[in-house]
Amino acid sequence: RLGLQKMSHDNDFNDNEFAIQFRHALRSDNMTSLILKGPVVPLILRNGKLLCRRVHKQQIKDPKNILMRTRAIVEMIHTGLNLVEEYEKSSHKLSTGLPFLLLNGDKQGCDIRKQQDRFNYPRLAWSYPSPKKHGEEEDWCKAIPVPSYISWKTFHKEHTTHSSWNSTFASQSNEYPWSSKISKAVWRGTTTYDSYFFGHELNETPRGKLVRKSMESPEVIDAGFVNIIQQYAPQKEELSNQTILTKPIPFNDQMKYKAIL
């Protein structure tokens, strides 16, 4: 709480919408949001360290907690801080404290239909509207997209430096030359989606439309659901006959395709 106490003397910080949400999430043991369902995680970056409340830290570290996504990003930030410390011994550290919020759920607060942001400040989120499709007005969505927690869980143990990534890219270029790749786009995933933006029918969701396109043009797209979950789980048997329900494809095998969605 010390970082927040120091910043509370700044009237601009004290009165703005970000400060109100940050204080609310900080004081809440469950990190509740004033706007969206799901936890909003308050963090402070100061002196090369990532700070949070002890009760929040316990939840983030608990493997059974819904904050699995946040745990991956916290690990990612720690790795970045350690790399900065290792490669830039004389780097300037932020001593005053930088507060920021991380949205743990799927929603990022940006309404692509109206091009309106329900928040009025930047925050870390798992998605961002496509600038080409939903970007008529620049910077209308203030969400800051972060790397996929799935990618982090999959790759970070194998790749600890940039050089290991370079060697991986080089070996994969040799193992999967462009001339031998399958001339299709590939996608695998589950039936999750944001009901705030789209209809409730599976075929109306972006992922549902993608799989439908795969059914219509299998020579162009190889897309399929690996599981039918959440609100569609009760209809799993019925929907499995209407869409493509198939097995996951490992990342290495997806490299055999010319496009990965």
Side-chain angles (χ1 to χ4, degrees):
R1 294 179 184 268
L2 293 178
L4 186 63
Q5 290 173 353
K6 289 183 178 180
M7 288 178 286
S8 65
H9 296 294
D10 187 336
N11 290 333
D12 291 336
F13 180 86
N14 208 26
D15 295 336
N16 64 40
E17 294 180 31
F18 170 81
I20 294 172
Q21 173 61 84
F22 190 90
R23 279 196 298 270
H24 178 84
L26 190 70
R27 293 167 179 167
S28 166
D29 288 347
N30 295 320
M31 296 169 278
T32 56
S33 169
L34 291 169
I35 298 177
L36 300 176
K37 292 182 180 180
V40 174
V41 184
L43 300 165
I44 296 177
L45 182 62
R46 188 177 64 190
N47 287 328
K49 295 183 178 180
L50 194 60
L51 309 178
C52 67
R53 280 186 61 193
R54 184 175 289 106
V55 66
H56 296 169
K57 181 179 180 179
Q58 292 171 348
Q59 294 178 56
I60 293 172
K61 292 178 66 177
D62 184 358
K64 297 180 180 179
N65 196 283
I66 61 172
L67 295 175
M68 172 269 292
R69 298 178 173 185
T70 295
R71 184 165 59 253
I73 295 303
V74 167
E75 291 176 357
M76 194 181 304
I77 293 174
H78 275 303
T79 300
L81 291 173
N82 290 336
L83 287 173
V84 169
E85 185 72 21
E86 179 179 353
Y87 291 106
E88 299 182 19
K89 300 293 184 181
S90 61
S91 62
H92 298 287
K93 295 181 179 179
L94 190 64
S95 59
T96 56
L98 173 67
F100 61 94
L101 292 167
L102 170 63
L103 307 188
N104 187 73
D106 288 330
K107 296 179 175 62
Q108 90 283 69
C110 297
D111 187 336
I112 60 176
R113 297 172 301 179
K114 301 178 181 178
Q115 291 199 359
Q116 292 179 354
D117 195 340
R118 299 178 70 186
F119 295 84
N120 194 33
Y121 46 81
R123 67 278 179 194
L124 302 184
W126 306 108
S127 62
Y128 187 80
S130 168
K132 290 186 177 180
K133 188 175 182 181
H134 306 292
E136 294 180 6
E137 296 183 14
E138 294 184 3
D139 301 328
W140 67 270
C141 178
K142 297 181 176 62
I144 301 173
V146 295
S148 165
Y149 53 95
I150 296 295
S151 297
W152 176 255
K153 287 175 60 180
T154 304
F155 297 123
H156 85 281
K157 291 182 180 179
E158 300 176 8
H159 304 286
T160 57
T161 66
H162 69 280
S163 58
S164 67
W165 278 108
N166 290 341
S167 62
T168 296
F169 293 147
S171 64
Q172 289 184 342
S173 293
N174 292 328
E175 187 174 357
Y176 309 110
W178 183 259
S179 59
S180 66
K181 285 180 179 285
I182 301 171
S183 296
K184 294 183 182 181
V186 65
W187 177 83
R188 291 293 185 272
T190 61
T191 54
T192 58
Y193 84 112
D194 194 338
S195 59
Y196 183 73
F197 299 140
F198 307 100
H200 295 283
E201 296 295 329
L202 180 58
N203 287 336
E204 295 178 9
T205 68
R207 293 183 174 190
K209 291 179 180 179
L210 176 63
V211 175
R212 176 62 58 182
K213 288 292 184 182
S214 180
M215 297 173 70
E216 295 172 355
S217 305
E219 74 282 1
V220 178
I221 303 174
D222 179 356
F225 293 113
V226 299
N227 200 2
I228 297 176
I229 62 172
Q230 295 184 357
Q231 67 269 39
Y232 299 113
Q235 304 171 264
K236 185 171 183 177
E237 184 175 350
E238 176 186 354
L239 290 173
S240 62
N241 295 322
Q242 301 175 9
T243 187
I244 299 176
L245 187 60
T246 186
K247 295 181 179 180
I249 298 179
F251 281 113
N252 283 349
D253 288 339
Q254 291 188 28
M255 292 293 294
K256 298 176 182 178
Y257 292 76
K258 287 191 173 179
I260 301 175
L261 303 176

